Amino acid sequence: MKSLYRKARQVIPSGVNSPVRAFRAVGGDPVFMARGKGPYIWDARGKRYVDFCCSWGPLLFGHAPSGLISAVSRALARGTSFGTATAAEIEVALGIRSFFPSMEKIRLVSSGTEAVMSAVRLARGATKRSKLLKLDGGYHGHVDSLLVRAGSGVATFGIPDSAGVPGELARLTLSVPFNDIGALEDVFRREGGELAAFILEPVPANTGVVLPAPNYLERARALTKRHGALLIFDEVITGFRVSPGGAQQYYGVRPDLTCLGKILGGGLPLAAFGGKSALMDQLAPEGPVYQAGTLSGNPLAAAAALWMLGEIKKISSSRKWRVLENRAENFYGELIKAAERRGLTVRLNRLGSMFTLFFSEAPVTDYASAKRSDTKRYAKFFHGCLKKGVYLAPSQLEANFISWAHSPAVLRRAARVFGELL
Ligand code: PLP
């Protein structure tokens, strides 16, 4: 492993292709993974881990589900890319819309970052306003305008702004603490008339999972509407995760624009953004807002998405959906009991099959309280788990995920490991 890391660092900056993979938040050398199946991943030495990172969210049905492999293999034999429209893209868009009715029209792109970047440009173009509002610690991919008081890898490294983002651009982005309705009202009172959009994860997962306070999302909806700003829900993580129709279905709040990614592509590079037809029709070539992509709607990614959407449909009745949630709740119950047995106060923030175990005495309700959790203790816990064959997100300020491939027996075993290490 060490030799792989040494080699990687010679040709890849920091040895990784995305910062959070470098283990800086937990220390030690990153693990190189070689394959995955169901709830497990195997590292380059052949050691097996129960995987709670799940590629940072996409793997709702675990690693390498056979149906997905067949669907992608069939598409592969037909050709990897045409650079033209294809019928599969229509099916994907219709499938997305069946779960997210607020997305009347949809564009497919290749990453969550691209979806957010495009949605932000569309919001600015459509409203003819420049300013954006986001949450403290809110991470939306490495979009220039949003690397301002950002979370995820950025929060982990304590660099709220990235070098290379012009100050002139960053000054157009305002940020508020999550769950503080007073602060939200205040900023809209002062800046509402100049805001193109308020963009947020309706359930922030990039500061670790934090749930919205009652009425927060409703108030965000009302304020954006009143001030002519767009409400953008970044559901790259929550989409198809907290309910089939994402957080907007779960909380019953309809945004103007939605960004999806991760689960949609089932591990292949596919993401999407969409909203009302009149708004989406402002995109080129019909409209003045330019947005494009050589590999957008790529046939392999579209085949994966169609398989994912088909499987999600099969489990989308509330009875079936609850099967995974109940499994997750039993697992959380085990963790809480284990912590209580040891007289430990931990905060297990969770919604359905995503969770963060915060080493914190106080409730975690926003970025500031998330940052006060004991990251050193988390790092110890993380490495203990790693040794015992359980792979968690390598940072306290991230979400972990449970897939349908995590059987009750697998979860019980993982809960025992957690219990021992707590
Ligand atoms: N939005 C959210 C909420 C995310 O969590 C992420 C990535 O973690 C992104 C956007 C960016 O997605 P991608 O990494 O696919 O560019």
Side-chain angles (χ1 to χ4, degrees), residues 43-391:
D43 70 19
R45 282 203 215 108
K47 176 172 171 170
R48 192 182 79 170
Y49 306 82
V50 177
D51 183 15
F52 285 100
C53 185
C54 289
S55 186
W56 302 94
L59 308 181
L60 183 63
F61 300 107
H63 288 271
S66 53
L68 184 134
I69 304 294
S70 309
V72 176
S73 304
R74 281 196 299 275
L76 179 61
R78 291 193 294 268
T80 53
S81 183
F82 307 117
T84 67
T86 59
E89 291 161 80
I90 310 170
E91 295 305 313
V92 174
L94 287 170
I96 293 172
R97 195 173 66 180
S98 70
F99 292 111
F100 289 81
S102 72
M103 299 172 79
E104 293 173 3
K105 281 195 179 173
I106 292 151
R107 272 263 166 100
L108 300 180
V109 292
S110 302
S111 72
T113 297
E114 218 188 325
V116 169
M117 183 189 75
S118 309
V120 162
R121 186 179 305 138
L122 177 58
R124 282 174 158 158
T127 58
K128 301 190 172 53
R129 298 174 181 181
S130 302
K131 288 190 180 170
L132 299 171
L133 181 63
K134 69 183 285 290
L135 297 177
D136 292 350
Y139 179 72
H140 304 281
H142 62 106
V143 178
D144 275 358
S145 281
L146 300 174
L147 282 178
V148 177
R149 296 183 76 89
S152 192
V154 179
T156 297
F157 305 138
I159 38 171
D161 294 310
S162 163
V165 174
E168 292 87 340
L169 193 61
R171 274 195 285 283
L172 295 173
T173 304
L174 313 171
S175 127
V176 281
F178 187 49
N179 279 336
D180 185 340
I181 291 180
L184 196 61
E185 290 174 341
D186 218 43
V187 79
F188 270 95
R189 206 171 303 121
R190 283 184 287 110
E191 307 274 353
E194 291 185 50
L195 288 177
F198 177 26
I199 179 164
L200 74 161
E201 280 189 280
V203 183
N206 279 289
T207 46
V209 174
V210 181
L211 301 187
N215 212 30
Y216 186 80
L217 298 175
E218 289 82 352
R219 200 70 195 115
R221 176 63 285 182
L223 285 166
T224 42
K225 197 168 198 171
R226 185 188 318 151
H227 291 271
L230 299 183
L231 181 64
I232 306 177
F233 275 0
D234 179 348
E235 297 227 42
V236 165
I237 287 182
T238 53
F240 309 108
R241 173 64 66 182
V242 302
S243 78
Q248 55 196 269
Q249 180 188 32
Y250 188 87
Y251 291 104
V253 175
R254 196 178 170 108
D256 298 298
L257 285 170
T258 299
C259 301
L260 297 173
K262 303 215 184 217
I263 287 177
L264 178 60
L268 274 90
L270 192 88
F273 68 103
K276 276 222 157 62
S277 295
L279 190 54
M280 292 299 287
D281 283 340
Q282 304 234 7
L283 290 171
E286 263 177 49
V289 179
Y290 195 72
Q291 183 273 333
T294 301
L295 297 180
S296 292
N298 169 267
L300 304 189
L306 280 178
W307 185 81
M308 291 297 288
L309 289 163
E311 292 303 297
I312 292 164
K313 193 170 165 61
K314 287 185 202 159
I315 54 162
S316 62
S317 71
S318 55
R319 186 178 55 80
K320 288 233 174 89
W321 195 262
R322 268 204 303 276
V323 172
L324 180 59
E325 303 208 329
N326 290 344
R327 231 188 260 176
E329 271 310 316
N330 288 339
F331 170 68
Y332 303 144
E334 295 286 318
L335 300 194
I336 291 166
K337 264 194 274 166
E340 279 169 356
R341 271 200 302 274
R342 283 153 185 79
L344 251 183
T345 312
V346 291
R347 300 284 163 181
L348 186 62
N349 283 13
R350 78 267 192 186
L351 187 57
S353 55
M354 67 178 194
F355 69 97
T356 302
L357 186 68
F358 285 104
F359 287 90
S360 170
E361 298 272 323
V364 176
T365 56
D366 59 8
Y367 184 41
S369 47
K371 274 202 305 186
R372 282 195 291 271
S373 54
D374 189 342
T375 52
K376 286 206 179 85
R377 204 166 198 176
Y378 181 81
K380 256 184 152 168
F381 181 68
F382 168 85
H383 280 290
C385 287
L386 199 63
K387 230 180 238 159
K388 288 183 177 277
V390 176
Y391 188 76

Side-chain angles (χ1 to χ4, degrees), residues 5-18 32:
Y5 188 40
R6 209 174 311 118
K7 254 195 219 162
R9 288 208 307 195
Q10 285 166 11
V11 283
I12 301 171
S14 310
V16 291
N17 281 313
S18 194
F32 283 65

